[in-house]
Amino acid sequence: MSRPPLSRLAGIAVGVPVVIALAAAGCGSGHAPGDTAGAGSRTVSVTLTPDGCQPDPASVPAGATTFTVVNTHADAVSELELLKGDRVIGEKENLTPGLSGSFSLNLDGGSYTLSCPGAKKDSAVFTVTRRSAAKGGGTDGGSPSAGPVQHELDEATAGYAAYVRDQSGRLVTATEAFAAAVRSGDVARARSLYPPARVFYERIEPVAESFGDLDPAIDARINDVADPASWSGFHRIEQALWQKNTTAGMAPVADRLVSDVKRLNTMVGSATYQPAQLANGASELLDEVAKSKITGEEERYSHIDLVDFAANIDGAKKAFDLLSDAVEQIDPDLAGSIDSAFDQVDTSLARYHNGQGAEDYVSYTALSRSDLTTLARQVDALAEPLSKVGARVVGNR
């Protein structure tokens, strides 16, 4: 979900005062098109401006496509989404002025929408034309010819769909238990059940974000909503439990939260993915870590930010692990550098793990400025090679 710039959160206490530009810049910064585009990939350039986000070109043939996105001076616009119907299939977030980024996908023929929330004209039509069968390769970008890594890529997408369904089902169970504690008025029990539910959501957050209004309903913070009276989801209850020390008035919020995670569970049941979406989702999770977990703003009342941080890393690692056999064949050096970078982050997080469960981490307020700087640098070192995977695998579909 698109978040306000950190400058707008200056008045919010986040436990440990720290300014870490390194990780945010590393995840938001892009590479030159020649560095990111896979073999045969077409490049579409988009500049985020206060007026809009017109693609250049506005139409491409079906197949491998890389979107390069740059924000030169649009203070109110920091995100580009590519939608097919109502579902976001690709995006680049947190591009404040001066930053650029890219994402790659295999696109079928049809009409798409580019969305740039905050611009005067916040959407633009993007068209993908079907390839002629006479020119070879079928008639759209979703039916590639067999290649040396095709089996591994197919196994990866099937494995990821199963993983998302598993995590979503566990999210429903954990959220129902959490909501029951909220309804009963048991603050201590509700506090203890909040972190486990957050783990399952944070591991699959990019998938939730792809379904329009679901992520804001489930995961919005108070500064993400125009009308605080309409605020719903985990963080509204988090505020009541930790800041107000009560569950009063939260039963309807808990009921809606259960309904929303059940709706997410239903929607992921039939969702399919392409290899580049696994890679793009992994990068998005690193972006979430850099922007809102490492700063302490995500869980500003409970300070369980390391739980979310670790869950985001878990989700990114799962996506990459599923792709790793294919990436080893495409670019073994890249695969090795990513494995090494994941190991470094995992080793650092292990220092703050104080139990057996995925939710058992020390409070964010226990971390020093030095701890945060080290984590930020390691996330940055992981985000850079991971950002290249989407373009690598899209050229092999």
Side-chain angles (χ1 to χ4, degrees):
M1 178 171 59
S2 178
R3 308 291 195 191
L6 288 180
S7 60
R8 288 172 56 185
L9 301 172
I12 298 174
V14 294
V16 179
V18 62
V19 177
I20 303 175
L22 177 65
C27 290
S29 297
H31 306 274
D35 292 335
T36 58
S41 179
R42 297 165 182 84
T43 298
V44 177
S45 300
V46 184
T47 300
L48 302 181
T49 74
D51 294 324
C53 46
Q54 188 64 32
D56 181 22
S59 177
V60 297
T65 306
T66 293
F67 292 82
T68 62
V69 192
V70 61
N71 184 344
T72 55
H73 64 287
D75 291 327
V77 188
S78 62
E79 175 182 4
L80 182 76
E81 299 175 334
L82 178 68
L83 293 89
K84 180 68 171 176
D86 294 331
R87 186 175 177 192
V88 178
I89 62 170
E91 66 179 338
K92 199 64 188 177
E93 295 183 327
N94 305 318
L95 297 180
T96 52
L99 296 184
S100 61
S102 66
F103 62 90
S104 300
L105 290 166
N106 260 292
L107 298 180
D108 297 339
S111 180
Y112 296 75
T113 302
L114 283 172
S115 173
C116 45
K120 290 179 182 177
K121 184 180 180 182
D122 61 5
S123 64
V125 174
F126 182 72
T127 304
V128 179
T129 58
R130 293 183 180 273
R131 283 197 297 253
S132 168
K135 294 183 180 180
T139 56
D140 69 34
S143 302
S145 59
V149 297
Q150 188 63 51
H151 176 72
E152 286 82 359
L153 293 175
D154 290 342
E155 289 288 312
T157 54
Y160 190 68
Y163 172 73
V164 171
R165 289 193 297 269
D166 174 72
Q167 296 298 301
S168 179
R170 291 169 183 262
L171 171 65
V172 170
T173 301
T175 304
E176 286 179 328
F178 170 62
V182 171
R183 290 189 208 98
S184 74
D186 190 334
V187 172
R189 180 162 175 76
R191 284 181 174 181
S192 72
L193 293 173
Y194 176 76
R198 295 294 294 154
V199 168
F200 299 118
Y201 186 79
E202 292 292 330
R203 286 175 177 165
I204 60 171
E205 188 170 9
V207 178
E209 289 181 342
S210 73
F211 296 117
D213 63 349
L214 264 179
D215 180 63
I218 294 170
D219 199 37
R221 296 168 310 211
I222 191 168
N223 48 284
D224 298 323
V225 295
D227 178 10
S230 67
W231 185 24
S232 64
F234 278 115
H235 294 302
R236 184 174 181 189
I237 302 174
E238 178 205 7
Q239 183 196 55
L241 291 173
W242 273 272
Q243 188 177 73
K244 301 178 181 179
N245 196 34
T246 184
T247 63
M250 290 297 105
V253 182
D255 290 342
R256 178 178 173 182
L257 178 60
V258 170
S259 176
D260 285 335
V261 298
K262 285 183 174 179
R263 185 157 63 102
L264 173 62
N265 191 47
T266 298
M267 297 179 82
V268 302
S270 59
T272 59
Y273 309 90
Q274 57 174 273
Q277 286 177 299
L278 274 63
N280 295 341
S283 290
E284 289 167 27
L285 285 167
L286 267 290
D287 196 21
E288 281 287 323
V289 170
K291 185 178 185 298
S292 61
K293 274 68 175 184
I294 203 73
T295 61
E297 66 181 83
E298 177 80 6
E299 303 284 359
R300 61 189 64 163
Y301 311 110
S302 62
H303 304 304
I304 65 157
D305 300 272
L306 283 179
V307 174
D308 292 7
F309 185 124
N312 282 163
I313 297 296
D314 285 347
K317 193 171 190 298
K318 180 65 175 182
F320 175 71
D321 284 349
L322 289 165
L323 290 170
S324 61
D325 286 346
V327 179
E328 282 278 359
Q329 294 189 46
I330 299 166
D331 190 338
D333 290 340
L334 178 62
S337 66
I338 293 171
D339 278 333
S340 177
F342 267 121
D343 287 345
Q344 289 185 348
V345 175
D346 287 343
T347 297
S348 288
L349 281 173
R351 299 189 187 108
Y352 312 111
H353 194 231
N354 62 354
Q356 298 300 312
E359 71 279 8
D360 293 325
Y361 281 88
V362 302
S363 171
Y364 181 80
T365 58
L367 274 66
S368 68
R369 183 182 297 271
S370 176
D371 293 331
L372 296 173
T373 300
T374 297
L375 286 170
R377 287 174 175 162
Q378 290 176 341
V379 168
D380 185 55
L382 172 58
E384 194 279 327
L386 195 61
S387 69
K388 298 178 181 179
V389 174
R392 295 291 195 272
V393 300
V394 82
N396 284 271
R397 284 290 289 175

